[in-house]
Amino acid sequence: MPSQQKRRSGGDKPLSSPADNYYLARRRTLQVVVSSLLTEAGFDSAEKAAVETLTEMLQSYISELGRSAKSYCEHTARTQPTLSDIVVSLVEMGFNVDTLPSYAKRSQRMVITAPPVTNPPVTPKALSAGQSKPHPAHIPSHFPEFPDPHSYIRTPTYPEPVSDYQILREKAASQRRDVERALTRFMAKTGETQSLFKDDITTFPLIAARPCAIPYLNALLPSELEMQQMEETDSSEQDDQTDVENMSFSLNVDDASADKENSDLHHSSSLSSSKNGEDNIIDNPYLRPVKKPKVRRKK
């Protein structure tokens, strides 16, 4: 067995692993049991090799008994072995179970004290975080405990918002600078560029300037915000006009003839005014009065 070879090569020196220390403690207990049985049998002393051999035989016998009891326990769909499993295992190994009561009540038997229980190292309170989760019902109690909750539960952390005025101004300036730099690079890659060096065009590209024939045209044209406001006012005026027309149509049904005469007079006056207006037309398009664009309402 590899564990036996490791134990034999290391001797009685404690090993670094907790499992090995646990194994050595149980091994020493078996050695005490074997020594007490030899004392009951009348031996005053024994060689170390003989004691080791008897200890190995006793350990193998107990291990085989536990393995057989576990197999009977699992065969009946149970997780913990009972006394009946151990009795059946002893019978299978050829042991006479009827001799156990008389052997347990022998007069010259020696009582062995229980091995000292070593408490697990206590974790300092400064290093523990939260309460450890207990074992569910399907996990045996000899299994190691769950670690601290912070080691397997995801806890999102959020940085505190920065409220310093100087830091906010520096951050806004850096963001504005990054946006301007990115926009400049985008325009340089997608549009026409000029270079400071004739030989290398890709070094220090500059956005090509586009000359405008009428530089003051943008100042005269309305902006998008003004156009939107104009559209909203036109739509509201058209709504009011349609309401007035509907009301006037119902009121002016009886006065159709009078309206016709008035329309003829108005038509003649409009023709005369249009003739006079044609003489006063301004040739410069930038000095003409602004005409609001007609917007069609969506039905």
Side-chain angles (χ1 to χ4, degrees), residues 11-292:
D12 294 337
K13 295 181 181 180
L15 301 178
S16 59
S17 175
D20 294 334
N21 295 335
Y22 179 83
Y23 178 81
L24 289 177
R26 296 296 180 266
R27 181 77 176 184
R28 292 193 188 96
T29 304
L30 290 178
Q31 288 177 357
V32 173
V33 172
V34 171
S35 300
S36 63
L37 291 175
L38 291 175
T39 303
E40 290 180 8
F43 290 94
D44 296 332
S45 62
E47 295 182 358
K48 187 176 181 179
V51 175
E52 286 290 337
T53 302
L54 293 175
T55 304
E56 190 70 29
M57 293 172 63
L58 180 60
Q59 182 177 357
S60 301
Y61 190 86
I62 295 174
S63 300
E64 181 63 24
L65 178 63
R67 186 199 62 78
S68 179
K70 182 182 178 182
S71 63
Y72 282 113
C73 172
E74 293 178 351
H75 181 70
T76 55
R78 287 184 283 108
T79 57
Q80 293 182 356
T82 59
L83 181 61
S84 59
D85 298 329
I86 298 175
V87 171
V88 174
S89 301
L90 289 173
V91 172
E92 183 185 9
M93 295 172 66
F95 185 80
N96 189 4
V97 185
D98 298 333
T99 59
L100 275 177
S102 60
Y103 181 76
K105 296 177 182 179
R106 67 188 184 279
S107 58
Q108 69 275 15
R109 67 187 182 90
M110 297 180 61
V111 179
I112 302 172
T113 58
V117 179
T118 57
N119 297 324
V122 180
T123 307
K125 293 183 179 180
L127 300 178
S128 61
Q131 296 180 355
S132 299
K133 184 180 178 181
H135 288 300
H138 62 278
I139 298 179
S141 59
H142 62 271
F143 274 55
E145 297 181 354
F146 284 103
D148 292 337
H150 74 276
S151 60
Y152 59 90
I153 295 178
R154 180 176 178 272
T155 305
T157 57
Y158 302 97
E160 296 182 358
V162 181
S163 58
D164 191 3
Y165 178 74
Q166 182 178 358
I167 297 176
L168 292 175
R169 288 293 301 271
E170 292 177 356
K171 188 175 181 180
S174 63
Q175 290 179 353
R176 191 183 304 110
R177 187 166 51 252
D178 294 341
V179 170
E180 291 177 357
R181 190 179 303 167
L183 182 59
T184 304
R185 291 178 180 176
F186 176 75
M187 294 179 65
K189 288 184 178 180
T190 56
E192 298 179 359
T193 58
Q194 297 175 356
S195 179
L196 296 175
F197 306 97
K198 296 181 180 180
D199 299 336
D200 192 0
I201 303 175
T202 60
T203 306
F204 297 105
L206 301 176
I207 300 174
R210 297 179 181 179
C212 184
I214 308 174
Y216 56 85
L217 180 60
N218 293 330
L220 298 176
L221 295 177
S223 61
E224 294 182 359
L225 181 60
E226 293 177 353
M227 292 290 293
Q228 186 177 2
Q229 293 177 354
M230 292 167 60
E231 291 176 0
E232 292 177 355
T233 54
D234 291 341
S235 61
S236 62
E237 289 178 358
Q238 288 180 1
D239 293 338
D240 297 339
Q241 186 177 1
T242 52
D243 296 338
V244 171
E245 288 178 357
N246 294 330
M247 294 175 63
S248 61
F249 179 76
S250 60
L251 295 174
N252 297 331
V253 174
D254 299 334
D255 300 336
S257 59
D259 292 338
K260 186 176 181 181
E261 293 176 359
N262 293 331
S263 64
D264 294 338
L265 294 174
H266 181 69
H267 181 67
S268 60
S269 61
S270 62
L271 289 175
S272 61
S273 61
S274 63
K275 290 179 181 180
N276 296 328
E278 289 178 358
D279 298 336
N280 299 326
I281 292 176
I282 301 173
D283 296 334
N284 192 346
Y286 299 103
L287 299 179
R288 294 176 184 174
V290 179
K291 294 182 180 180
K292 295 181 181 181

